[in-house]
Amino acid sequence: MSLTKTTVVDQITVTENGIVLYREATRIMEDGNEISKQYHRSSLTPAQDLTGVPTNVVAICNTVWTAEVIAAYQAQLAAQAART
């Protein structure tokens, strides 16, 4: 009997305001058969610190988070704060 545990990013989504959503699947395998699977979802906002984030997600963030996207996101936050 051989148990293995793997974690992979199996889904990445970018919203229209630049927020990056990703899902990690953790699979427990026994002799090549999946016996358990768990999901963990995370979100990242434009210009957020990417320390500890999986490299493929960092690559997407670095591509999507242009200066314009970051400025628009910060403007959106400022507008929301002004309304409250």
Side-chain angles (χ1 to χ4, degrees), residues 1-72:
M1 178 171 85
S2 170
L3 291 177
T4 59
K5 176 181 175 180
T6 60
T7 301
V8 297
V9 175
D10 69 339
Q11 191 176 74
I12 302 172
T13 305
V14 180
T15 65
E16 67 180 288
N17 62 352
I19 294 174
V20 175
L21 310 168
Y22 69 98
R23 182 176 78 179
E24 292 178 294
T26 301
R27 295 181 180 105
I28 306 295
M29 307 290 283
E30 179 180 12
D31 297 325
N33 296 314
E34 183 176 276
I35 61 172
S36 174
K37 185 187 322 184
Q38 260 187 331
Y39 295 111
H40 177 76
R41 290 176 173 80
S42 299
S43 62
L44 303 165
T45 57
Q48 183 173 333
D49 179 28
L50 299 176
T51 303
V53 175
T55 56
N56 55 342
V57 177
V58 170
I60 297 293
C61 292
N62 288 334
T63 301
V64 172
W65 292 347
T66 62
E68 294 82 15
V69 169
I70 292 169

